[in-house]
Amino acid sequence: MEHVEEKQGQSLVLDTKLENTKKLYIESYGCAMNFSDSEIVASILANNGYNTTQILEEADLVLVNTCSIRDKAEQTIRKRLEKYNAVKRTNPNMKVGVLGCMAERLKEKFLDEEKIVDMVVGPDAYKDLPNLLAEVEEGRDAINVILSKDETYGDISPVRLMSNGITALVSITRGCDNMCTFCVVPFTRGRERSREPQSIMSEIQDLWNKGFKEITLLGQNVDSYLWFGGGLKKDFVNASEIQKATSVDFDSLLEMVAVGFPKMRIRFSTSNPQDMHESVLHVIAKYPNICKHIHLPVQSGSNRILKEMNRLHTREEYMTLIDKIKTIIPESSISQDMIAGFPTETEEDHQDTLSLMEYVKYSFGYMYSYSERPGTLAGRKMKDDVTEETKARRLQEIVDLQQKLAWQRSEEFIGKTVEVLVEKLSKKSKEEFSGRNSQSITVVFPKEDYKIGDFVNVKIESCTSGTLKGIAVGLSEMN
C-alpha cells in the first residue's frame, strides 16, 4: 500500500451529532488502509457518544492510527505521543490510545514499559472499542490486539472523513498471506480474508447516492480477493463444491462493480504480480469506467533479491506480465514500489532494478531505501549489510531514472484529449482545477464553468514529469 504523503498526520473531521457529549481527536499515519480504518473507528465512536474535534487540547480521547512499515513513521508517532502526553499533564482526564499496526508490535512497550498510552488497539479489534473505552474509564489499561480471522468490517459503514466528497476508499480484503521478508503486514493485519460482495456493493451504492464519482477498491493484495461464504483465503481448498462453484474472485467482483455503477470510476490498489491473472486484464480493458492504471509493486529487478524477499515471482515472470498488460490494455499506466539496498544487494542486483525500470517505463512510483522492520523475517534473519551511503546513492539513481521515465510518459499525452475527474482546485492557482486522468496522472486546466465532480475532456498542451496541463474541450460521456 502506498503512503498518501500529503495526508500524513491529518486529523479527521465528522459531522457533529448534537446528542454526543465527548470529543475525539484522531490522527492517521501510513497507508490508505489506515485512513480507511480511521473512518471506521470514527463511525463506531460517533455511535458511542463522541464527536470529532480538531483541537487537541479539548479532546477527551486522542487516538493515533499508526503505521509499522518504516522507521521514519515510527519516530514521527513517538514524537506525537510525547506531544499528547504534554497536553495530558494539563488535562489529566484525557485518554490516549494507539491504533493500528504499530500497536500490534509495541503493545507491551507502550503500556507497561513506557506507560505512554491508556489503550492499544490492533487493526482487527475496532469493534471492541466501546468495551475497551469502558475499561479505560474505570482506570485499567485496555489492550486488545488479537488478530481476527474473520473481521472485515463489512457491516460498519465507514464515515468518509476529510473527503472531497468525490473519491472514496472501499476495503475489500484485509490481511495478507504473502510472507515478503521485508513486510510486517501478515503479522500485524493477520491472514488474508475477503469481504462479502453484497456488502461491498451496498457500500458503493451508498457512496453513489451521496454523490461520489470514484472509488478505489482497497486491500493489501486485491487481486487475491476470494469470497466463498466467509473464512480465510487459505481454507478455500476445503470449501464445498457448491461454495467453489459460487465463489467470487477479483475479476468477477471488478466486473460486478463496473456493470453495477457504469457512471462511477473504479480504481484498485494494491496488486501482487503473482496474483494478477490475465482474466482481470480483460475486465479492465472491457469497461471504460475501470481506470487504466495498475499499481504493480516489484521491489527489485534482481532474481536473487526477489528470492531473498520471498516475492513469489521472478524478474522474467514479471516482465511477461508487463508484456500482457501492454498487449491487452495498451493505454494503461503502470506504477511501482521499489526498495533500494535490501540486505546483500550488490551493484549488479541494483543494475538489474534499473534495467527492469527501463523495460517497463513506469509512469510513477514509490521508492524507499531499505530500513529494517522489527518483527519481519528479514529483521530476524538478515544482516542489514548495505551501508547507508550506498543505499542513499542507489535510491537516488532509482529516483532519477523514474523522473526521466515519468517525463517520457507525460510527453506521450501532449496533443491528446483525456478524461479528467475534477477533484479540487489546483495547488498553484485558484483559477485552475486539478484532477486525474484514467492513468492516474494529475491534470491541471483553467476552471471556466466546470465544477468539482465533473468528468471533463481536457486537451493536453504541455507537461512536467508529474503533471499534464491543458484546456477543457467539454464534458465527457461519464457525467
Side-chain angles (χ1 to χ4, degrees), residues 336 338 350-365 367 393-409 465:
Q336 45 86 345
M338 219 53 97
H350 170 59
Q351 291 304 323
D352 282 349
T353 294
L354 296 175
S355 71
L356 180 72
M357 288 173 69
E358 287 276 14
Y359 183 82
V360 180
K361 301 209 174 354
Y362 294 105
S363 296
F364 55 94
M367 299 150 283
R393 173 185 58 79
R394 287 179 187 167
L395 177 61
Q396 195 55 54
E397 288 175 12
I398 289 172
V399 169
D400 291 346
L401 174 56
Q402 183 51 61
Q403 180 84 350
K404 184 187 104 177
L405 297 172
W407 267 107
Q408 290 173 9
R409 283 294 186 210
S465 66

Side-chain angles (χ1 to χ4, degrees), residues 132-259:
L132 295 176
L133 282 167
E135 291 278 307
V136 169
E137 278 155 18
E138 286 164 29
R140 290 190 289 276
D141 286 339
I143 185 162
N144 183 341
V145 282
I146 297 147
L147 283 167
S148 142
K149 294 282 184 282
D150 57 7
E151 189 54 271
T152 54
Y153 300 109
D155 60 344
I156 294 174
S157 76
V159 180
R160 303 285 152 196
L161 307 143
M162 299 307 288
S163 162
N164 53 12
I166 304 297
T167 62
L169 305 169
V170 176
S171 279
I172 65 165
T173 69
R174 296 182 79 81
C176 189
D177 283 350
N178 297 321
M179 292 286 175
C180 300
T181 56
F182 54 80
C183 183
V184 81
V185 163
F187 308 108
T188 59
R189 288 188 175 270
R191 296 305 294 260
E192 195 170 305
R193 52 238 182 264
S194 294
R195 187 176 153 190
E196 201 266 317
Q198 263 342 102
S199 84
I200 296 170
M201 291 298 279
S202 54
E203 185 179 330
I204 299 171
Q205 182 65 57
D206 179 53
L207 289 165
W208 174 251
N209 297 346
K210 289 183 174 139
F212 282 82
K213 300 293 177 73
E214 177 182 285
I215 51 141
T216 301
L217 302 175
L218 200 62
Q220 244 67 42
N221 183 9
V222 290
D223 306 274
S224 61
Y225 175 89
L226 182 60
W227 173 261
F228 56 99
L232 295 178
K233 179 174 177 227
K234 70 177 179 61
D235 298 332
F236 183 65
V237 287
N238 309 321
S240 67
E241 286 313 306
I242 182 105
Q243 278 180 315
K244 284 183 175 164
T246 56
S247 65
V248 177
D249 57 7
F250 184 58
D251 51 71
S252 355
L253 179 74
L254 195 55
E255 185 152 33
M256 201 189 290
V257 177
V259 171

Side-chain angles (χ1 to χ4, degrees), residues 402-421:
Q402 183 51 61
Q403 180 84 350
K404 184 187 104 177
L405 297 172
W407 267 107
Q408 290 173 9
R409 283 294 186 210
S410 289
E411 284 168 346
E412 290 170 6
F413 285 103
I414 292 178
K416 290 187 179 153
T417 297
V418 299
E419 180 185 75
V420 179
L421 171 58

